[in-house]
Amino acid sequence: MASQNGKTKYYVLMEKLKNDILSGEIKPGEKLPSENQLSMQYNLSRHTVRKALSMLTAEGYIEAEHGKGTFCSERVRHMRESKNIAVVTTYISDYIFPRLIQGMDRVLSSNGYSIILKNTANSRKLEAAALEDVLKKEVDGLIIEPSKSQLICRHTNLYDMLDEYEIPYVFVQGIYEQMEDKPHILMNDCKGGYLVTKHLIELGHRHIVGIFKADDSQGKERHKGYVKAFQEAGMLYDPDYVIWFHTEDRKTKPAAVLEMMLRKKMPIDGVVCYNDQIAMGVYQKLKFLHIRVPEDISITGYDNSVYARGDIDLTTIAHPQEKLGEMAAELLLEKIHKVPEEKSKVERLIEPQLIVGNSCISRH
């Protein structure tokens, strides 16, 4: 291979191999011919071949594995624009998630992107598997709702690989504490927890149970708001009045523990619930115990979901899921197009709004 147009031989070989990689002729993970084989194939010295390979290694197209040879980098999958966006949520068909995904899809599809959808069932093991799969696919970006975001993330190496492959990602609805500097779209959950608790206090409730999720950041923040409302009203915060539950026991523990508290004759006149789903479980349990809502006990939810409009109109917090999805998609598109942070037009925090139903009553 002679030099062409004044270009050196090693540069010509480097361009030839790079084109073969980008065209897909040499695929990610595929082993390249050895230095000797390339020398013979292109009639070049090994020194020239080595120089060309060194440039490709520096640019991330190939990587050498000691004792095994040189391979086309997995990173190459992400060097070509695919128009695919991976979306990983804890659930897909459940609760608020269809509307969240609809919001993302509206923005992404109007910009020519397709969604690859995955769910983790709020399992960190399944989240790691989903990320490993995303790294093997041709995607231009990722929107992810973290699983059990209140716990320490043990697969940060996979997020490091996304950074290394220059795949932008945006967290939505929660974020791991050790990754708070990463792009994210959240709701002001502390303020939301504060608003529902303050509403009950202003209605004259003094014995308010709080039910919160222990393994995600939303639960921590909503509890923080609950505590803040007590402190502001000069009321004593009593940890015995807080029920913490985890993903695995979300369907049974909240209502079961509340029933135990009632059987112990603890005075209870209001319940602040982590979300509408929990609130409706509490409502059904109280109904079963012949305790009237709101006459005997007032309850509040969170999310303004379909659950909030059942047998009873829940007092809840508006959670604009579609807007949240749209904002996450818009932020990701900014990251894909390398819009500088100071020029970003996407707000990062949604302010909550109290929706007053008929599930609470004045105790004055």
Side-chain angles (χ1 to χ4, degrees), residues 275-341:
N275 64 16
D276 297 341
Q277 209 169 19
I278 296 298
M280 287 317 292
V282 164
Y283 172 69
Q284 294 302 335
K285 175 60 76 176
L286 294 175
K287 204 167 153 186
F288 174 75
L289 297 170
H290 305 293
I291 294 170
R292 298 167 304 160
V293 174
E295 292 85 355
D296 301 321
I297 294 179
S298 296
I299 57 175
T300 66
Y302 201 112
D303 291 332
N304 195 27
S305 67
V306 288
Y307 288 94
R309 306 289 162 258
D311 289 2
I312 195 163
D313 252 7
L314 278 175
T315 290
T316 186
I317 293 290
H319 187 168
Q321 298 96 352
E322 285 187 40
K323 186 173 190 290
L324 203 64
E326 286 171 4
M327 287 162 64
E330 283 160 5
L331 181 57
L332 184 65
L333 291 177
E334 283 189 355
K335 297 297 174 191
I336 289 169
H337 298 131
K338 296 185 165 50
V339 174
E341 189 65 34

